[in-house]
Amino acid sequence: MSVIQNLSQEPQSKRRKIDSKINYSSSSTSCGHFFVRYGICCNCRSTVARDEGRSFNYLVDGLQLSDIAVSVTKKFTTQITCFNDKKLHLVLDLDHTLLHTVLVSKLSEEEKYLVGEVDSKEDLWRFNRGYSSEFLIKLRPFVHEFLKEANKMFSMYVYTMGDRDYANIVLKVIDPEKVYFGDRVITRNESPYIKTLDLVLADECGVVIVDDTPQVWPDHKRNLLEITKYKYFLDTTIHDVKYSKSYAEEKRDESYKEGSLANVLKVLKEVYEGFFSSDGVEKKLDIDSKDVRLLLHDPCRPNTTLANFTFTNLGFFFL
């Protein structure tokens, strides 16, 4: 990632000074335009069209990488992270995975008491910045402990179908100092229809996804660890004659120690330990021979979490 970091640290004044000397009427035919910033190739200094390569603007302002550069950077990043930091990569959804957000106007009559309890609860937040309506954010039980422990094993990304303004608001609640995610935040601004690991600069063999909605990952289900949907507030989009009260209405919550996040963390630890087993990093870690997807879907894993819990208690399913 040193190349990416160097690009992000290039002074604006220097960039403008260089740009003024560029011949905008010509482009290099011999250069692969591997790294592009603000439409200018960092190697040959010619202009490059936006449809050449892929934008990684969420990581570095104006950054665009060619397909070859993406492939090489993914491999390089995974190797460096594994060898130097002994970490894999984890992609986390926000809504219904780490928290539940609802419009205040959509609260049921039995949930409206929560508005008056916001200031007294550490896991409940109210906001309306940038929006015309007010929202409540309820953090999932165990979320802070989950992030703290997962951060020891993984370099983490957020990947949400919410917009960037919303993601920034949520991250100020769960990661105000950018300790866990840094700038590794992908939103619907970059990925409006589906979610894809093409936007994650890490080799797929070392990436685990935790999400409650498998349908948004059509091409990467083998990397996916599906978590049960966290629904603290009443779901007003479902009209069911068999009405069941929400957690908020019943004034209770998902289990802290045996809930979905706690149990998913156990599986993540198993995957991590399997990846960095005795035939791995202690000798010479061969990335090509290691793959988290094989560990996630290994039906012969002895003494796993699956042996100790029912699917209902685990709060997740393997795809």
Side-chain angles (χ1 to χ4, degrees), residues 7 16 18 41 60 89 120 128 170 173 195 254 268:
L7 284 170
R16 286 194 295 269
I18 292 173
C41 176
V60 176
H89 287 81
S120 62
N128 66 351
V170 170
V173 174
K195 295 182 179 181
E254 186 177 87
L268 291 177

Side-chain angles (χ1 to χ4, degrees), residues 55-87:
S55 172
F56 285 87
N57 197 61
Y58 76 92
L59 281 175
V60 176
D61 190 31
L63 180 63
Q64 184 177 327
L65 304 182
S66 71
D67 292 340
I68 294 176
V70 170
S71 178
V72 172
T73 304
K74 280 174 174 279
K75 193 76 173 179
F76 176 77
T77 300
T78 299
Q79 289 177 336
I80 292 298
T81 304
C82 285
F83 281 114
N84 291 2
D85 304 324
K86 201 178 179 183
K87 283 187 175 185

Side-chain angles (χ1 to χ4, degrees), residues 223-246:
N223 294 82
L224 178 62
L225 190 58
E226 184 185 350
I227 189 170
T228 52
K229 191 180 293 291
Y230 180 56
K231 294 185 288 186
Y232 182 77
F233 306 103
L234 181 67
D235 188 349
T236 57
T237 64
I238 298 178
H239 303 284
D240 193 340
V241 292
K242 296 180 179 180
Y243 171 77
S244 59
K245 289 189 175 184
S246 65

Side-chain angles (χ1 to χ4, degrees), residues 16-262:
R16 286 194 295 269
K17 196 173 294 182
I18 292 173
D19 290 354
S20 64
K21 299 178 182 179
I22 294 173
N23 181 359
Y24 288 92
S25 62
S26 65
S27 64
S28 172
T29 57
S30 60
C31 180
H33 306 316
F34 300 127
F35 293 88
V36 175
R37 198 167 183 211
Y38 301 111
I40 305 300
C41 176
C42 297
N43 180 44
C44 69
R45 295 298 172 179
S46 61
T47 57
V48 179
R50 287 188 176 183
D51 58 358
E52 292 188 32
R54 183 179 287 275
S55 172
F56 285 87
N57 197 61
Y58 76 92
L59 281 175
V60 176
D61 190 31
L63 180 63
Q64 184 177 327
L65 304 182
S66 71
D67 292 340
I68 294 176
V70 170
S71 178
V72 172
T73 304
K74 280 174 174 279
K75 193 76 173 179
F76 176 77
T77 300
T78 299
Q79 289 177 336
I80 292 298
T81 304
C82 285
F83 281 114
N84 291 2
D85 304 324
K86 201 178 179 183
K87 283 187 175 185
L88 296 172
H89 287 81
L90 180 63
V91 178
L92 295 171
D93 174 48
L94 288 180
D95 294 288
H96 298 297
T97 295
L98 301 182
L99 50 94
H100 189 187
T101 300
V102 68
L103 280 165
V104 171
S105 61
K106 294 294 185 180
L107 292 172
S108 70
E109 286 298 321
E110 293 180 72
E111 293 174 332
K112 290 182 179 179
Y113 73 92
L114 289 168
V115 176
E117 295 187 358
V118 171
D119 294 334
S120 62
K121 290 182 176 293
E122 294 183 353
D123 60 351
L124 189 65
W125 300 74
R126 185 175 183 176
F127 73 92
N128 66 351
R129 288 169 292 179
Y131 296 89
S132 58
S133 302
E134 286 192 310
F135 293 81
L136 285 185
I137 296 177
K138 172 62 174 66
L139 301 185
R140 193 168 202 162
F142 198 71
V143 65
H144 290 300
E145 292 78 6
F146 174 86
L147 292 175
K148 181 179 179 180
E149 291 301 310
N151 188 53
K152 298 175 183 178
M153 302 178 287
F154 298 88
S155 175
M156 296 190 291
Y157 281 74
V158 159
Y159 204 140
T160 175
M161 283 298 189
D163 62 30
R164 184 154 295 277
D165 289 339
Y166 170 69
N168 288 338
I169 289 171
V170 170
L171 289 171
K172 285 181 180 178
V173 174
I174 64 174
D175 188 22
E177 303 299 325
K178 294 189 175 183
V179 172
Y180 302 130
F181 303 108
D183 294 318
R184 298 180 299 277
V185 181
I186 306 170
T187 70
R188 73 168 178 228
N189 298 65
E190 296 79 33
S191 182
Y193 305 112
I194 63 170
K195 295 182 179 181
T196 173
L197 291 183
D198 292 349
L199 284 172
V200 176
L201 282 180
D203 195 300
E204 292 176 21
C205 72
V207 180
V208 179
I209 303 163
V210 175
D211 201 318
D212 67 279
T213 310
Q215 296 86 349
V216 298
W217 293 99
D219 301 321
H220 304 288
K221 285 186 170 61
R222 292 185 66 218
N223 294 82
L224 178 62
L225 190 58
E226 184 185 350
I227 189 170
T228 52
K229 191 180 293 291
Y230 180 56
K231 294 185 288 186
Y232 182 77
F233 306 103
L234 181 67
D235 188 349
T236 57
T237 64
I238 298 178
H239 303 284
D240 193 340
V241 292
K242 296 180 179 180
Y243 171 77
S244 59
K245 289 189 175 184
S246 65
Y247 280 141
E249 289 175 327
E250 293 184 344
K251 297 185 178 181
R252 65 185 185 92
D253 208 343
E254 186 177 87
S255 172
Y256 178 86
K257 292 184 177 181
E258 299 296 336
S260 295
L261 282 178

